Amino acid sequence: MFLMFFLHHGFFNLCETGVEDRVDVGGLAEIEDAVAELQNLLSTLLMIQQIKQIFEGYFTEKVLSATVTYDHRALVIDGKRRILQSGSIHYPRSTPEVWPEIIKKSKEGGLDVIETYVFWNYHEPVKGQYYFEGRFDLVRFVKTVQEAGLLVHLRIGPYACAEWNYGGFPIWLHFIPGIQFRTTNAPFKIEMKQFLAKIVEMMKKEHLFASQGGPIILAQVENEYGNIEGSYGVGGELYVKWAAETAVSLNTSVPWVMCVQDDAPDPIINTCNGFYCDRFTPNSPSKPKMWTENYSGWFLGFGNPIPFRPVEDLAFAVARFFETGGTFQNYYMYFGGTNFGRTAGGPLVATSYDYDAPIDEYGFLRQPKWGHLRDLHKAIKQCEEHMISSNPTQVQLGKNLEAHVYYKSSNECAAFLANYGSSLDANVTFNGNIYFLPAWSVSILPDCKNVIFNTAKVVSQRTLGDSSFSATTSVNDFILEPSSWSWYKERVGIWSNNSFMNSGLLEQITTTKDTSDYLWYTISINVKENNIPGQEKELFLHIESLGHAALVFVNKRLVGFGYGNHEDASFILDEKITLNHGNNTIDLLSMMIGVQNYGPWFDVAGAGIFYVALHDLKNDTNDLSFEEWTYQVGLEGEDLDLDNINLANSSLWTTGAAPPVNQSLIWYKVAFLAPEGKGPLALNLASMGKGQAWVNGQSIGRYWPAFLSPSSGCTNGSDCDYRGAYDPSKCLKNCGQPAQTLYHIPRTWVHIGENLLVLHEELGGDPSKISLRTKTGQEICAHVSETDPPPADSWKPNSEFISQNPEVQLTCERGWHITSINFASLGTPIGKCGTFALGACNADILSIVQQACLGQEGCSIPISTATLGDPCPGVLKCLAVEALCSD
């Protein structure tokens, strides 16, 4: 177009008659001007063309479809095998505002795929009525992952487990006549197929499957059914076949998987879940070796210590899996998040779903877990071309010692060297070279020569403190003003005319339909014996419950509290009571703490009180279980909607100089100003007993600080030996303490000006000691030795990797910068992060580190004696640095 413009205006007509015939000196100036103008126009043309190509590339990338298949080695995307790192992030366990940042951190950590369940009970809370908004906007979540350039594994299920209320099933499903869950049952299959189709069609409509240009490369039907299939007999076997056929019939154009399902029929891929999957083999030689749940830690139950998994063991498990032929691995969880509201499963799953994941509950990086796994992913990525080119060749190196070698060609290979013994370090010879292998570790050699990563050598930075909001110099506490509290005392027992009567004790879930955690059981007892006026009759009250907890009132006075635990929610409660002559009331408030989410026939597991009896001093028994009982679903405060922000100024509330403390069944409210900042908040409820909390009408979940974990059985983080097989009880912390005292408030749930906090306290506590915590920075540190490998991504084929230097790498959370260097030493520093001290050998490098790091979001300090000096030649030296990041 521009060329035609030039020709039309005669800019190239000079060639017709020759320059000499047509141009004089003045004409030459005109020609020079024309040429300059031409050059400018050509530059503009080139710029426009480049912009056009950029935008064409951008939009083409957005809509570019992909074909996803598989062979015996791996998933195959557009004809190429892929080695994929994946991580679970459940969209409702955070808020849409922080999804992009969490996903971005996942990508920076080396993930290729985000895996999530789909939560049927919140997407279809009422049969036929669907909800996909706010935290439950599934389409927005999938598109957010796509915008970050990552892929998606959509686990539609629709059974999720996930320590989620009722395993993700809607409670109305339970009440369909003749229904039986997860077996060859017609009513169940109708509902399950309808929901599967609903989700698939929604994804298709939004063009989110890979064949449509979307990010979804995998889908899952059912979940861990193989663990309990035997309990369903032939019905279970038929159900598996039906579920597979139904999934395939939905034509997603991407492969389907079934996890923990050895009898998954073709073409469904059966996958492994567990702490280790290196010995897993698919049920067909045509299917790849895939790991859908690699537990980064474990979930938390009220009354239990906090489990954690050392990163050295987690990295070992991942490396062993890829060493032995695995090609897809998913961390469950990579970000765990929070069980807001009543979403937590049961029994007694805590509100925090932190899971000791690489990204913690509040969205901060858990170091060194995140960094060490990032380095692992980089090392594995360096081997990808070799791994997709062949099956691994096993080489025995000694007892509990072996190598697996991947050949790209006869003279190009990558190797994994493993010491899977749990106690003895070893030196091994491989390809004529000697390598040191710590016990329970894997070394990765992308060229069969240079070690660029060992799972037991953690060189990535660490964060001081046990958790994001541990009391450090970077955490601020804000006490809520005692004088600003108001309260409402809940009525004990029957509180409205919508109660009902029944002969005998009712099962709780069937009665409440999970509309509330609470069910009142009330009975009147008339003591007719001619006691001396004023005397009382002493009796023993015996109560048996399926769970999960209960408050006991006699004549409106609290006399007892019973509860189970996550492992066994049932309990027995015996209380000595006194009854007056004449009429007496016994009020039992039975409480649920999450509907059961796992196990064979879990959907019919009951809750609530099933036996009540009175025993006198002569041991005569009066069984009250079949007497006339009066029932009330829920609490008076729930019915009044006291958590609603519109009732903040209601006359229902009582205000005084200070709130009542240590009272059961009481509601509290307080207005507060949110601390400045953009980060999440933590509500410290250590002074409270048990209950629920709301901020500006949003439920932040159940709390139970009064339930202490056993006082024994814990190890400190540094004392838990990562070597040897891990299980959820191996590494525990916080024994003798509450499972959880800090409760997550997303920053977007508060605003400038006054905010409203509402608590319903069941047992008794002191609200005047409640505080808000903010995090204004982080203290980070790193310790690297001269013998540690250089960064894994610095290795290049045919390079002299061994001549490169290991280095300390420090990085602040996004938006924070390094504001001070608290310690820096090259030599033989002693101690550990937070307690480093100078050793006998020390080079004063503080000014060098300050110059490189202060004011930066991150910095790197190579161990180079040429740069840092050599305070003790011939001595093995380490570089240790501690720094403070802040906003």
Side-chain angles (χ1 to χ4, degrees):
M1 183 175 69
F2 285 95
L3 180 61
M4 292 300 296
F5 174 83
F6 302 145
L7 291 173
H8 177 73
H9 285 82
F11 292 130
F12 294 105
N13 288 345
L14 297 178
C15 298
E16 292 180 1
T17 59
V19 174
E20 298 85 351
D21 296 333
R22 294 203 41 198
V23 180
D24 57 18
V25 174
L28 283 173
E30 291 179 1
I31 291 172
E32 288 173 353
D33 291 340
V35 170
E37 184 177 354
L38 174 63
Q39 289 173 334
N40 290 335
L41 287 169
L42 286 172
S43 297
T44 303
L45 174 63
L46 180 61
M47 184 184 304
I48 292 172
Q49 184 67 20
Q50 289 173 336
I51 293 172
K52 182 169 179 274
Q53 289 173 347
I54 291 170
F55 276 89
E56 282 181 347
Y58 175 81
F59 288 113
T60 302
E61 184 181 17
K62 286 293 183 182
V63 299
L64 188 64
S65 62
T67 301
V68 185
T69 58
Y70 65 84
D71 63 16
H72 75 287
R73 278 294 293 130
L75 290 177
V76 179
I77 302 177
D78 280 343
K80 180 168 182 169
R81 292 172 177 167
R82 293 291 303 276
I83 303 296
L84 296 171
Q85 305 288 353
S86 174
S88 290
I89 300 173
H90 297 159
Y91 50 101
R93 283 176 159 142
S94 59
T95 58
E97 294 79 8
V98 300
W99 290 344
E101 179 65 12
I102 292 169
I103 292 165
K104 186 175 183 179
K105 287 179 176 179
S106 302
K107 183 177 183 179
E108 291 169 349
L111 296 194
D112 308 292
V113 183
I114 300 299
E115 183 179 281
T116 185
Y117 284 121
V118 177
F119 299 92
W120 186 2
N121 53 354
Y122 279 80
H123 290 310
E124 193 178 2
V126 177
K127 182 173 166 58
Q129 297 181 19
Y130 296 97
Y131 181 81
F132 291 92
E133 298 176 18
R135 299 187 350 257
F136 294 92
D137 191 339
L138 175 59
V139 168
R140 178 177 174 181
F141 178 76
V142 174
K143 288 183 176 180
T144 304
V145 176
Q146 181 180 25
E147 288 164 5
L150 297 181
L151 305 170
V152 172
H153 177 198
L154 194 65
R155 307 176 80 186
I156 307 175
Y159 168 66
C161 183
E163 292 71 56
W164 188 266
N165 198 53
Y166 212 32
F169 285 137
I171 202 73
W172 55 259
L173 202 65
H174 177 81
F175 296 96
I176 294 177
I179 199 166
Q180 290 182 325
F181 289 14
R182 305 176 78 194
T183 187
T184 182
N185 171 267
F188 178 76
K189 291 195 291 185
I190 289 170
E191 298 298 335
M192 174 172 164
K193 182 175 182 179
Q194 184 170 298
F195 185 74
L196 283 171
K198 171 75 177 179
I199 299 300
V200 168
E201 287 307 308
M202 179 181 290
M203 298 301 107
K204 286 182 178 180
K205 182 180 178 182
E206 297 291 336
H207 303 285
L208 293 175
F209 285 106
S211 61
Q212 303 172 294
I216 302 174
I217 60 165
L218 279 174
Q220 179 176 298
V221 65
E222 249 298 332
N223 186 54
E224 295 184 327
Y225 189 70
N227 288 339
I228 49 97
E229 181 179 343
S231 300
Y232 296 84
V234 175
E237 297 174 16
L238 295 174
Y239 168 66
V240 170
K241 293 178 181 178
W242 170 85
E245 292 167 359
T246 300
V248 172
S249 73
L250 295 174
N251 298 316
T252 61
S253 71
V254 300
W256 285 86
V257 305
M258 279 183 162
C259 62
V260 195
Q261 198 65 57
D262 291 342
D263 59 348
D266 294 342
I268 307 293
I269 306 170
N270 67 303
T271 65
C272 182
N273 289 1
F275 292 108
Y276 308 94
C277 283
D278 50 292
R279 298 184 181 180
F280 169 74
T281 302
N283 64 7
S284 166
S286 65
K287 298 177 183 179
K289 180 174 178 176
M290 297 175 61
W291 192 359
T292 38
E293 290 189 16
N294 174 12
Y295 306 117
S296 58
W298 200 243
F299 66 89
L300 180 62
F302 284 124
N304 288 347
I306 300 174
F308 64 96
R309 188 178 185 186
V311 68
E312 297 92 335
D313 174 68
L314 182 57
F316 171 76
V318 174
R320 284 287 284 166
F321 177 73
F322 286 101
E323 173 191 351
T324 55
T327 52
F328 178 101
Q329 180 268 150
N330 176 77
Y331 297 100
Y332 188 100
M333 304 291 295
Y334 197 77
F335 164 78
T338 306
N339 292 318
F340 296 114
R342 299 171 59 241
T343 59
L348 281 77
V349 172
T351 297
S352 171
Y353 202 67
D354 181 85
Y355 226 92
D356 197 37
I359 303 175
D360 75 14
E361 178 181 3
Y362 297 88
F364 296 111
L365 300 182
R366 172 170 277 113
Q367 298 284 25
K369 183 168 278 190
W370 183 89
H372 193 52
L373 295 177
R374 173 205 57 198
D375 295 344
L376 169 63
H377 302 152
K378 289 178 179 179
I380 293 172
K381 187 65 69 176
Q382 297 276 28
C383 305
E384 181 169 9
E385 291 303 315
H386 299 81
M387 294 170 70
I388 63 175
S389 300
S390 66
N391 294 321
T393 300
Q394 183 180 11
V395 179
Q396 202 64 35
L397 301 176
K399 184 179 180 182
N400 298 328
L401 302 166
E402 64 184 10
H404 284 81
V405 184
Y406 291 93
Y407 288 95
K408 185 177 178 182
S409 64
S410 59
N411 59 354
E412 290 183 279
C413 66
F416 293 73
L417 311 184
N419 179 351
Y420 53 92
S422 60
S423 57
L424 299 177
D425 300 339
N427 289 302
V428 300
T429 301
F430 175 75
N431 278 1
N433 296 314
I434 297 175
Y435 299 91
F436 174 70
L437 283 177
W440 207 254
S441 79
V442 176
S443 286
I444 299 176
L445 295 67
D447 54 2
C448 282
K449 177 183 177 183
N450 291 296
V451 174
I452 65 170
F453 184 86
N454 178 272
T455 59
K457 290 187 175 184
V458 180
V459 298
S460 61
Q461 74 179 46
R462 300 173 184 266
T463 303
L464 272 65
D466 195 38
S467 66
S468 284
F469 284 87
S470 295
T472 67
T473 56
S474 302
V475 171
N476 293 330
D477 266 319
F478 298 86
I479 301 294
L480 305 183
E481 280 295 323
S483 60
S484 59
W485 286 92
S486 301
W487 59 92
Y488 180 86
K489 194 75 173 78
E490 180 84 26
R491 266 194 280 180
V492 173
I494 305 305
W495 47 265
S496 83
N497 57 11
N498 64 0
S499 60
F500 60 94
M501 301 183 73
N502 186 79
S503 295
L505 296 168
L506 296 176
E507 192 277 322
Q508 184 164 349
I509 302 173
T510 303
T511 306
T512 66
K513 297 180 172 58
D514 197 35
T515 57
S516 170
D517 280 356
Y518 309 99
L519 178 63
W520 282 107
Y521 296 71
T522 295
I523 192 170
S524 295
I525 298 172
N526 195 288
V527 178
K528 297 179 180 179
E529 296 180 13
N530 292 322
N531 293 345
I532 299 172
Q535 278 195 347
E536 301 167 329
K537 185 177 179 65
E538 289 190 347
L539 296 167
F540 291 94
L541 177 62
H542 179 83
I543 299 169
E544 297 184 17
S545 173
L546 295 172
H548 304 152
L551 287 168
V552 180
F553 297 85
V554 175
N555 293 327
K556 309 304 178 184
R557 186 175 64 86
L558 180 63
V559 298
F561 176 56
Y563 51 93
N565 54 52
H566 173 72
E567 290 70 33
D568 181 6
S570 66
F571 62 91
I572 295 173
L573 182 63
D574 287 294
E575 294 290 344
K576 186 178 181 180
I577 65 171
T578 56
L579 297 180
N580 301 320
H581 180 74
N583 194 48
N584 298 263
T585 60
I586 296 177
D587 297 293
L588 310 177
L589 180 60
S590 183
M591 309 171 185
M592 295 283 295
I593 303 106
V595 183
Q596 188 162 331
N597 58 261
Y598 180 75
W601 307 102
F602 79 88
D603 51 294
V604 295
I609 295 162
F610 67 90
Y611 180 74
V612 179
L614 288 171
H615 304 282
D616 61 20
L617 299 178
K618 299 177 182 178
N619 211 27
D620 293 331
T621 299
N622 180 10
D623 187 350
L624 304 178
S625 305
F626 301 98
E627 299 295 326
E628 192 85 357
W629 288 80
T630 304
Y631 294 89
Q632 181 91 62
V633 175
L635 300 173
E636 181 187 22
E638 290 179 314
D639 188 65
L640 293 171
D641 211 14
L642 290 180
D643 60 287
N644 193 320
I645 196 168
N646 294 323
L647 292 181
N649 298 315
S650 169
S651 60
L652 290 168
W653 295 97
T654 300
T655 302
V661 300
N662 300 322
Q663 291 196 18
S664 63
L665 295 188
I666 187 170
W667 295 75
Y668 296 105
K669 80 171 179 73
V670 67
F672 68 94
L673 298 177
E676 293 182 358
K678 298 179 181 179
L681 305 173
L683 185 67
N684 188 346
L685 295 176
S687 65
M688 302 305 290
K690 179 184 183 296
Q692 298 183 48
W694 296 261
V695 171
N696 293 331
Q698 299 265 25
S699 174
I700 63 171
R702 303 181 180 98
Y703 65 85
W704 198 351
F707 194 175
L708 305 183
S709 65
S711 59
S712 61
C714 281
T715 57
N716 294 324
S718 58
D719 294 334
C720 186
D721 191 348
Y722 69 85
R723 301 174 301 176
Y726 178 83
D727 64 63
S729 63
K730 180 179 180 181
C731 299
L732 303 172
K733 60 186 178 183
N734 277 36
C735 280
Q737 302 295 318
Q740 183 178 358
T741 57
L742 299 178
Y743 291 80
H744 178 203
I745 303 175
R747 176 60 71 162
T748 53
W749 287 9
V750 297
H751 49 253
I752 297 173
E754 286 196 343
N755 297 269
L756 180 68
L757 169 65
V758 175
L759 304 168
H760 173 244
E761 174 57 47
E762 300 164 6
L763 301 181
D766 186 352
S768 68
K769 296 179 180 178
I770 292 174
S771 64
L772 277 171
R773 263 183 195 183
T774 62
K775 187 176 177 68
T776 58
Q778 59 186 172
E779 295 162 81
I780 60 176
C781 60
H783 181 276
V784 177
S785 163
E786 286 182 310
T787 60
D788 289 325
D793 55 356
S794 67
W795 177 85
K796 298 293 184 291
N798 303 315
S799 67
E800 287 299 322
F801 183 70
I802 198 69
S803 65
Q804 299 181 48
N805 296 318
E807 59 187 51
V808 160
Q809 296 180 333
L810 299 175
T811 306
C812 299
E813 289 283 342
R814 215 176 324 275
W816 291 347
H817 297 84
I818 298 172
T819 53
S820 68
I821 303 297
N822 302 329
F823 182 88
S825 173
L826 176 67
T828 56
I830 57 176
K832 57 185 180 181
C833 282
T835 61
F836 281 137
L838 299 178
C841 167
N842 171 60
D844 184 5
I845 60 169
L846 182 61
S847 61
I848 298 175
V849 176
Q850 287 174 332
Q851 185 175 1
C853 298
L854 288 181
Q856 304 298 314
E857 191 171 286
C859 61
S860 299
I861 311 293
I863 300 184
S864 168
T865 54
T867 304
L868 303 178
D870 190 349
C872 41
V875 175
L876 177 65
K877 286 170 281 294
C878 297
L879 175 59
V881 180
E882 287 181 10
L884 175 65
C885 298
S886 69
D887 56 2

